[in-house]
Amino acid sequence: MARPTRVHGGRGSGPDGADAEEAPAADLRMPVLGAAAWAGALVGLLLTGWVAPVAVVALLVALGAGARLLARRGAEQVTRTALAAGLLLAAAAGIATVHRVGTATGPVSALAEERASVRGSCSSRATRASAAVRSPTTSSCAVV
């Protein structure tokens, strides 16, 4: 008994020249989630003040409404992907906002605004309180 062979890239074995088996559709869930993460990071980094949280909430509401419509039509997989993309967008926006605020405020950013720099050499010395116990290493650097 001869086994049927399938030629890839050539004419199919079906009656109209098409393959008997249809090729599966491309799974685009991962690129959609990647785009949501990029969009969330850009929202968190570029939108300042109260605009970023409002934009994220508006996008989540829109995704939620779209997910409800898709769920009513029976597109379960699309609904789950849309909700995951919204959650990922919100998480990335939140992390980017916290990073932006953390680097914009604090002692290092205050020194950067003053254009502070370290001149000379920093010496590190360890002092001994006793032969068995050492105190932590201290550093003496001049910040100008």
Side-chain angles (χ1 to χ4, degrees):
M1 182 165 144
R3 290 177 39 195
T5 59
R6 183 174 171 184
V7 179
H8 294 285
R11 293 179 57 96
S13 59
D16 59 350
D19 288 333
E21 297 177 13
E22 289 185 27
D27 187 9
L28 298 176
R29 288 178 291 177
M30 291 308 286
V32 166
L33 293 176
W38 272 93
L42 289 175
V43 164
L45 289 175
L46 298 178
L47 299 180
T48 59
W50 56 271
V51 178
V54 170
V56 169
V57 168
L59 285 171
L60 287 176
V61 167
L63 278 173
R68 284 185 62 114
L69 289 175
L70 289 172
R72 287 183 183 170
R73 293 184 181 183
E76 241 180 78
Q77 187 173 3
V78 175
T79 303
R80 282 185 270 159
T81 303
L83 291 176
L87 179 64
L88 187 58
L89 186 142
I95 290 169
T97 302
V98 166
H99 175 72
R100 180 180 43 83
V101 170
T103 56
T105 60
V108 176
S109 65
L111 289 172
E113 287 176 8
E114 296 173 5
R115 301 189 53 90
S117 63
V118 177
R119 292 195 183 154
S121 63
C122 294
S123 64
S124 176
R125 64 181 194 277
T127 59
R128 290 187 184 186
S130 67
V133 180
R134 291 187 180 184
S135 66
T137 303
T138 57
S139 173
S140 59
C141 296
V143 177
V144 229

